[in-house]
Amino acid sequence: MRIAVVGSGYVGLVAAACFAELGHEVISIDNDVEKVAMLQRGEVPIHEEFLPELLARHRSQKLTFSTDLREAVGQSQAIFIAVGTPATEMGDADLSYVEQVSREVAQAINGYKVVVEKSTVPVTTSEWIRRVMLLDGADADQFDVASNPEFLREGTAVEDFLYPDRIVVGADTERCATLLRQIYEPMTSGEYYQRNNIIPNVSNATVPPPIIVTSAKSAELIKHASNAFLATKISFINAVANICEAVGADIKEVCEGIGTDARIGRRFLNPGIGYGGSCFPKDLKAFSSVARETGYDFRLLQEVMAINAEQRSRFLRKVRSALWTLKGKKLAVLGLAFKGGTDDIRESPSIEIVKCLRKEGCEVRAFDPAATERAQEVLADSGISYHRSPYEAAEAADALLILTDWPEFARLDLPRLKSALTYPIMIDGRNLYDPAAMAAAGFIYSSVGRPDVQASIAKQNGKPEKMAAATPEKAH
Ligand code: UGA
């Protein structure tokens, strides 16, 4: 199949590389001339596991890069729109890039094509795309508009694409559904998984994945509702973690107890400093706005967003209660991206926390395995220094804060860290360590939804002791 993917951001580039991996002839289109040149030279603009391998494997063969949308449309049977849908000031999705691409596609159409929404868009966007294409002269028989939402996570995007829980195709005609089924056939038939040298099934996903064919509107709703549900799960567990803190219960034990109920499931039940990234914050606002337009006030989503914002303030209160005053304190910060495994800092809770710490007069010593360069662009501040390792960041710091869940942050050399820090204080916003082990290693350790522990008492009776539960923050 000949496929054009318009937009080479996280979703577009991964989709283009993965379609090529499945065996299709793919043209990746972007209007950013520099980015296209970079991709043509073999450079990889984003940090994404397995993406460099796929680009190297298929570049100049099954995968080409271009700025010429019209030519690509002329050569392709399916055109995937994967351009940005940023939030407007009102919170709804800005669909102007989608509209612009739809118009250009309409003008270049030269035979039956399927135009597929890959970007996250509000329900009824497919109808709008159809309408503008007709207005721009496309013949109604020459195209169909489909929705094929993506459920990939940054950091594991390639794996999520090739080993998905399900493939959702929203198509309103059989002709269109058939073409999309053909595109995913190497996966749904299981044929891809029999090949040699494929991208490994790291998380042991069930293959082949099922394909769910729905109407275009249902598929659009599936995407927004999935992200909203996952964000709700995170805010729910953060709220429960806050109750755990107040009563001295342990959120890890609570999660084990509720997550083993197959109806609830263990995944996305990790409490922390709240969700961030380019998807959940934007999509919750957009979904809430879509609901309002349909006449439904989705108050649950407002509360999910409010709990999420409060989670950052609660973390800052933890830092204050561990250090008393903040002005002039040196703090080592591990993690600047919105989560581990990515260099993306969009809507990163960590960046927000760093900004607040700076406002309170702290000196920040930061380390992130991939996001430093991007963070520097938005945190141009002489009070923040960037370091090459967690230990260098911890050097002479008054405390260490863990803000993203990079696997390497969960495997730190604790004696080395302790000797680098001025005080052995760790405030863990991602619950990467076991409190008892931290106390035994000589740390004063505070995390989310679990009792704080302090080393000094642990040393006396060989057991970590819970710190006074009624710190001002806990009493709140
Ligand atoms: C999310 C969805 O998980 C994907 O299915 C979806 O395709 C994507 O948005 C999108 O719409 O494009 P992503 O934003 O890459 O993916 O990241 P997640 O892994 O979902 O994490 C989002 C945020 O939630 C991060 O800040 C993460 O740290 C936080 N999180 C996640 C928690 O606080 N607790 C959890 O248990 C899980």
Side-chain angles (χ1 to χ4, degrees), residues 22 162 164 166-167 180-193 207-212:
L22 294 180
L162 294 167
R166 78 299 202 190
I167 295 162
L180 277 153
R181 276 201 189 92
Q182 279 169 8
I183 291 178
Y184 287 104
E185 218 255 342
M187 286 161 70
T188 53
S189 67
E191 181 268 317
Y192 173 72
Y193 308 107
V207 292
I211 185 161
I212 300 170

Side-chain angles (χ1 to χ4, degrees), residues 34 177 187 346 412:
E34 233 169 79
M187 286 161 70
R346 286 177 287 177
L412 295 170

Side-chain angles (χ1 to χ4, degrees), residues 173-220:
T173 68
E174 196 40 52
R175 174 160 77 155
C176 171
T178 303
L179 189 132
L180 277 153
R181 276 201 189 92
Q182 279 169 8
I183 291 178
Y184 287 104
E185 218 255 342
M187 286 161 70
T188 53
S189 67
E191 181 268 317
Y192 173 72
Y193 308 107
Q194 307 296 322
R195 295 184 201 163
N196 293 324
N197 278 330
I198 58 170
I199 297 299
N201 184 356
V202 181
S203 51
N204 232 349
T206 309
V207 292
I211 185 161
I212 300 170
V213 181
T214 67
S215 68
K217 278 187 196 161
S218 296
E220 290 166 339

